[in-house]
Amino acid sequence: MTSSTTPFPDGFLWGGATAANQIEGAYDEGGKGLSIQDVMPHGIASPRTDRPTPDNLKLEAIDFYHRYAEDIALFAEMGFSVFRLSIAWSRIFPNGDDAEPNEEGLAFYDRVFDECAKHGIEPLVTLSHYETPLHLAEKYDGWVSRELIGLYERYVRTVFDRYRGKVTYWLTFNEINSVLHEPLLSGGINTPKDQLSERDMFQAAHHELVASALATRIAHEMLPGSQVGCMVIAMPVYPLTPDPADALAVMAADHANLMFSDVHTRGAYPGYALRYFREHGIELDITDEDREILTNTVDFVSFSYYMSVCETADPAKKVAGEGNIMGGVRNPTLPASEWGWQIDPVGLRVVLNQFWDRWQKPLFIVENGLGAKDELVEVDGVKTVLDDYRIGYMNDHLVQVGEAIADGVQVMGYTSWAPIDLVSASTAQMSKRYGFIYVDRNDDGSGTLERYRKKSFGWYADVIRTNGASLS
């Protein structure tokens, strides 16, 4: 049901999204083991190190581990009804294959979820968000190994049992369709990408898909009333020209992006994927038990949306966009952010309609935002950031969400990336800021970690208070 002034339905979930490795810090406190992020000090484009190094901002991040109550109170001040966060697997099982869970880690998330409940905020919990325990990468080569399915099952059973009654909404893997592009980040795969066969990467993807479906089945068994979603990178693809060959290039790119959600929502590999495997000599180890597990389909589809791309069949016209891990060709009609991500609010409406038409599953936008270099200034004696550029970006995207809802698309909610400044996953910088809340920390690690409300803080609070009616 919607009001006459806004297309957003009553009960629409408004909030923000984060990841443990980008906010928590305390990498060696509370019994936590190392994750792959602790040896990725310079983001996804740089090689990993042998051990944590002082230049890795994620080791302290923004110290959410100690400041969670303060931050959640700020989220409540904006009116959040949902807060997306991830559980660091290595806080619960420090090595990933431990026989018993780490009580200190479990207790930490108890405190976080209890703090959310105190403010009436629903947690939306990602089980694995680019933070595979380092030991699993080094001993098993991450998700290339079938062993990880059982280890992930032990982990999810542990947290489902511990947090029953505290968490209703779960996501199994963050941006699962990125594993073919960033195998270490997404799949904890220790073997360098240039040494991996295509078969190994698809086998790792298969193991993650089986684990995801298994987690969905377990949640439905253990947690009646819970809802489990998949989480993918959404990226609409436009033909660069009207040439039919470009349309076929778009179809191929869409297939590569959408295969993961097709399996999550339909319970089996689509025909186009089977054809690709067959024609490329990719023989996957898929058991009958795997096929049965995959039939446990998700309750909803969640996704990140930052950009669209074009595709062409003409190699001479392939001009790649900057900062895009999923490939694609730069769209000459669109502006770009400071990091080269092309800005396309209408693309969000396009992808919402595409996903709804394709799967008829409720949709949840769990990442969308603008990374920018913010400047802290004083206005009437109060430190703030005059981030009208962020307000404009988010307003335009949310208007298109409203249009999609008016189109008949069922959208559950929207969690911006990110409600508070954090360490960038792609660049490991603090200067690539997304938040409504400024955190005083710099790329060189200096700063007080104090929090300051940006102009966008009040703007987003108004959007939530009016359920989108304040959008222009």
Side-chain angles (χ1 to χ4, degrees), residues 264-328:
H264 275 115
T265 57
R266 296 171 176 172
Y269 282 95
Y272 64 79
L274 298 177
R275 176 181 180 178
Y276 185 89
F277 297 155
R278 186 171 62 248
E279 293 184 352
H280 288 78
I282 299 170
E283 295 186 14
L284 298 183
D285 173 24
I286 302 178
T287 68
D288 289 340
E289 183 182 13
D290 291 348
R291 294 185 178 90
E292 189 280 324
I293 291 171
L294 288 176
T295 63
N296 294 277
T297 56
V298 292
D299 301 303
F300 64 95
V301 174
S302 75
F303 61 89
S304 60
Y305 177 77
Y306 296 101
M307 72 190 83
S308 62
V309 295
C310 292
E311 268 300 345
T312 178
D314 185 350
K317 295 179 180 176
K318 282 188 175 288
V319 180
E322 296 177 42
N324 176 18
I325 68 172
M326 300 287 281

Side-chain angles (χ1 to χ4, degrees), residues 5-8 14 462-472:
T5 57
T6 173
F8 292 88
W14 293 99
D462 284 343
V463 171
I464 295 173
R465 180 180 54 79
T466 63
N467 199 31
S470 64
L471 296 168
S472 57

Side-chain angles (χ1 to χ4, degrees), residues 17-38:
T18 63
N21 69 86
Q22 295 172 261
I23 62 168
E24 283 182 4
Y27 83 101
D28 59 354
E29 294 185 49
K32 181 184 177 297
L34 296 178
S35 83
I36 56 168
Q37 291 287 347
D38 297 323

